[in-house]
């Protein structure tokens, strides 16, 4: 029976993630979320007012009451999770220096090569 651990592991590095594909930070989109919440609360207030002022009372009064009761929950859900559905998909970034399959430019025949050689220094007589 072979051992459970052979003594070697291979780690496969994950590709880097593009900064342009990251979702917006919540603090950056707070004004958008606040605007959605305020609009929904405005609709809730309109439901309260319509529930009282629209006469004769009927089935629509119950509809306005349901809007006034359930809109706060709906407003919180829409304001907080609405942006997650519109996040851009992650893009894979390929860097030529890290990609071994990338073509290396072929050297031109007239390339000059400079060689620097150092000679050891001789100790001075004191």
């Amino acid at each position: 029976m072979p051992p459970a651990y052979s003594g070697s592991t291979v780690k496969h590095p994950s590709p880097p993630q593009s900064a342009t594909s990251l979702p917006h930070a919540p603090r950056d989109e707070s004004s958008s979320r606040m605007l959605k919440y305020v609009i929904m609360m405005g609709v809730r207030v309109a439901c309260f007012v319509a529930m009282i002022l629209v006469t004769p009372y009927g089935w629509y009064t119950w509809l306005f009451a349901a809007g006034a009761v359930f809109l706060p929950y709906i407003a919180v859900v829409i304001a907080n999770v609405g942006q997650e559905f519109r996040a851009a998909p992650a893009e894979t970034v390929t860097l030529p220096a890290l990609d071994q399959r990338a073509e290396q430019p072929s050297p031109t025949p007239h390339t000059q090569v400079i060689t620097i050689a150092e000679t050891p220094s001789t100790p001075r007589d004191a």
Side-chain angles (χ1 to χ4, degrees):
M1 183 157 112
Y5 176 67
S6 64
S8 65
T9 59
V10 178
K11 291 185 179 181
H12 300 286
S14 61
Q17 188 174 8
S18 172
T20 58
S21 66
L22 295 174
H24 295 287
R27 66 179 178 272
D28 293 339
E29 62 185 21
S30 65
S31 63
S32 171
R33 293 185 297 138
M34 183 62 79
L35 179 64
K36 289 178 187 178
Y37 186 78
V38 167
I39 289 172
M40 294 290 279
M41 289 299 102
V43 172
R44 180 184 186 212
V45 169
C47 284
F48 270 122
V49 171
M51 184 175 63
I52 295 170
L53 296 180
V54 174
T55 55
Y57 300 120
W59 61 270
Y60 45 83
T61 306
W62 291 105
L63 182 68
F64 293 141
V69 170
F70 295 113
L71 272 176
Y73 174 76
I74 295 169
V76 169
V77 170
I78 288 175
N80 289 332
V81 298
Q83 291 294 329
E84 291 179 11
F85 297 113
R86 287 185 249 155
E91 298 175 8
T92 304
V93 176
T94 305
L95 301 175
L98 299 178
D99 189 10
Q100 296 175 356
R101 295 173 289 157
E103 294 183 22
Q104 298 295 329
S106 60
T108 59
H110 303 291
T111 304
Q112 294 181 352
V113 177
I114 300 173
T115 305
I116 300 174
E118 293 186 19
T119 57
S121 62
T122 59
R124 294 186 189 183
D125 292 331

